Amino acid sequence: QVQLVESGGGLVQAGGSLRLSCVASGRTFSNYGMGMGWFRQAPGKEREFVAAVSWTGGNKDYADSVKGRFTISRDNAKKTVVLQMNSLEPEDTAVYYCAAARTLSFTVVSDQYTYWGQGTQVTVSS
């Protein structure tokens, strides 16, 4: 089993920054290399992919809407994945979820993620 806990959400003005963290626990996370991802869900909308990173951190992918503004990184020794969000826009307002997939690579498909955190709210005011 893997437990994921997100933190770092909050209220920020447009143009500001937030840093989301996701801490993983559980022996499975260490024994099986896992790709990690961030997804978000805005009110009335479906959950969408934001960013993903492979187990080694060497491969990453981003949704077109966040490229150049968001950066995903990970520290396996600390079992932590970080999403640095800059130049935030009101359209970025959503609940952000951290997820872990049983793959050494990464995936942008939410159904391929096995473990999910509870989410953290990000609100960007105009």
Side-chain angles (χ1 to χ4, degrees):
Q1 288 292 330
V2 174
Q3 293 78 42
L4 303 173
V5 178
E6 304 98 333
S7 63
L11 173 63
V12 64
Q13 288 188 333
S17 299
L18 282 175
R19 181 181 175 90
L20 304 185
S21 294
C22 172
V23 179
S25 61
R27 193 165 54 185
T28 302
F29 185 84
S30 300
N31 291 346
Y32 303 94
M34 290 192 165
M36 299 295 295
W38 285 94
F39 290 77
R40 67 186 182 187
Q41 187 166 19
K45 295 186 177 181
E46 293 187 352
R47 186 166 54 192
E48 64 174 1
F49 167 75
V50 176
V53 61
S54 62
W55 171 246
T56 64
N59 292 297
K60 303 175 183 180
D61 197 12
Y62 299 91
D64 288 343
S65 59
V66 307
K67 280 181 180 176
R69 300 188 297 121
F70 291 11
T71 302
I72 188 171
S73 60
R74 68 186 298 164
D75 183 337
N76 289 339
K78 296 181 179 179
K79 297 184 179 181
T80 299
V81 178
V82 171
L83 184 68
Q84 177 66 44
M85 306 187 296
N86 299 327
S87 302
L88 283 162
E89 304 168 352
E91 293 73 23
D92 296 316
T93 295
V95 176
Y96 283 70
Y97 297 91
C98 174
R102 290 181 177 264
T103 175
L104 293 178
S105 181
F106 64 83
T107 175
V108 303
V109 180
S110 62
D111 288 349
Q112 296 179 359
Y113 284 85
T114 304
Y115 305 102
W116 292 82
Q118 292 299 309
T120 184
Q121 176 70 47
V122 171
T123 303
V124 184
S125 63
S126 58

